[in-house]
């Protein structure tokens, strides 16, 4: 199992991520967060400021790579 994929360098578990998707379909990870609520708050704040990108909250799967 690759549990370290969902951990920060300090060892904190960060299973939620905010993804930015642009008009071309390109996806970029904005950040990783401990809770879904924290990630959603960040995504909502970014959505309010940027009108050409979509910000999504996703749970990181245990086996996912960076």
């Amino acid at each position: 199992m690759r549990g370290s994929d969902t951990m920060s360098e300090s060892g904190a578990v960060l299973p939620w991520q905010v993804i930015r998707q642009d008009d071309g379909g390109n996806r970029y990870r904005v950040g990783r967060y401990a809770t879904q609520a924290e990630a959603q708050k960040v995504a909502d704040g970014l959505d309010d400021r940027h009108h050409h990108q979509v910000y999504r909250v996703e749970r990181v799967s245990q086996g996912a790579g960076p």
Side-chain angles (χ1 to χ4, degrees):
M1 180 163 72
R2 295 176 54 184
S4 63
D5 289 341
T6 59
M7 297 177 97
S8 70
E9 291 179 12
S10 67
V13 177
L14 304 173
W16 295 95
Q17 61 185 357
V18 174
I19 301 293
R20 176 179 69 110
Q21 184 169 332
D22 64 22
D23 291 339
N26 300 304
R27 294 168 43 96
Y28 305 94
R29 184 170 59 208
V30 174
R32 302 272 294 260
Y33 304 92
T35 67
Q36 183 178 13
E38 182 182 11
Q40 190 64 57
K41 183 177 179 179
V42 170
D44 290 346
L46 291 168
D47 272 337
D48 289 344
R49 292 187 286 160
H50 302 283
H51 300 288
H52 297 288
Q53 291 86 25
V54 174
Y55 293 88
R56 302 182 189 280
V57 173
E58 299 178 355
R59 185 165 180 92
V60 178
S61 66
Q62 286 290 328

